[in-house]
Amino acid sequence: ALDRLKRPPVLVVTDSQGFLKVAGDTPSEIPLTSFSILFARFKGDLLEFVRGALAVEHLQPGDRVLVAEACSHHPIGEDIGRVKIPRWLTQYVGGKLEFTHVQGHDFPEDLSPYRLVVHCGGCMWNRREMLSRILKCRKAGVPIANYGLTIAYSLGIFDRALAPFPSALEVYRRERKR
């Protein structure tokens, strides 16, 4: 389909679950990101989520990770928050992690047991609600990232997924050197 276009797209936006396939099918000169990363910028704080995703690098087997979803949908088979993200993070870390899942407004008051909070994009929430979650994590000293950034980091395509957002890419490169 890309070969049939007169001009290449300015940006390709994919579902985060399809990152690897779409990255493989899309020439590297075409910027690529995900809906989830767009939502990190629109509903939350993209730079804070980028810093949070860097915590994936420091996870160790046995660490606790909180997976939070804004809505209370019924999970199905290969659910992204309950199956796919835990699998990708476990593979990245190379050992078993302990995952806790919460939905809706069931967000723990005490975040101290967690090394990372991985949050959905918050499509059902307004920006204020997402910023409130981010602030709770910041106050507790627990990094927070959203689904798309966590997936991109754990799959090794973080640079490419951030390329459409120069300030976020700069934060990533600066923080990575620390």
Side-chain angles (χ1 to χ4, degrees):
L2 288 172
D3 291 338
R4 292 182 182 163
L5 296 174
K6 290 181 182 181
R7 288 178 295 156
V10 175
L11 176 67
V12 171
V13 180
T14 182
D15 184 288
S16 301
Q17 297 174 75
F19 253 141
L20 281 182
K21 171 87 171 101
V22 175
D25 291 345
T26 305
S28 59
E29 61 274 7
I30 299 174
L32 168 70
T33 197
S34 75
F35 290 106
S36 183
I37 294 173
L38 290 173
F39 264 82
R41 187 169 177 246
F42 178 61
K43 295 269 185 154
D45 181 337
L46 178 58
L47 303 182
E48 186 72 21
F49 283 151
V50 166
R51 286 190 279 283
L54 290 170
V56 170
E57 189 66 32
H58 305 290
L59 290 175
Q60 300 290 318
D63 283 345
R64 295 182 71 190
V65 176
L66 177 66
V67 180
E69 297 179 319
C71 63
S72 55
H73 73 283
H74 295 288
I76 56 171
E78 285 285 303
D79 187 77
I80 188 169
R82 296 175 195 278
V83 177
K84 291 181 179 181
I85 289 174
R87 180 174 53 227
W88 287 320
L89 286 177
T90 298
Q91 288 171 347
Y92 188 87
V93 170
K96 188 173 170 55
L97 296 165
E98 187 178 330
F99 292 93
T100 302
H101 297 88
V102 295
Q103 293 181 301
H105 293 286
D106 295 336
F107 199 71
E109 287 296 321
D110 181 13
L111 296 171
S112 64
Y114 302 103
R115 294 283 310 220
L116 174 64
V117 172
V118 180
H119 208 290
C120 72
C123 65
M124 302 300 293
W125 278 6
N126 63 39
R127 187 163 193 265
R128 185 175 181 182
E129 288 172 303
M130 278 305 297
L131 291 175
S132 174
R133 286 265 169 100
I134 294 167
L135 182 60
K136 285 179 184 178
C137 291
R138 188 180 297 149
K139 284 182 178 179
V142 177
I144 182 172
N146 81 346
Y147 282 16
L149 291 162
T150 302
I151 292 168
Y153 194 92
S154 67
L155 296 178
I157 59 171
F158 207 58
D159 284 279
R160 184 151 188 213
L162 289 179
F165 313 101
S167 61
L169 188 57
E170 176 58 32
V171 165
Y172 165 57
R173 290 178 174 160
R174 185 177 61 241
E175 295 288 323
R176 184 178 59 180
K177 292 179 183 178
R178 286 183 171 192

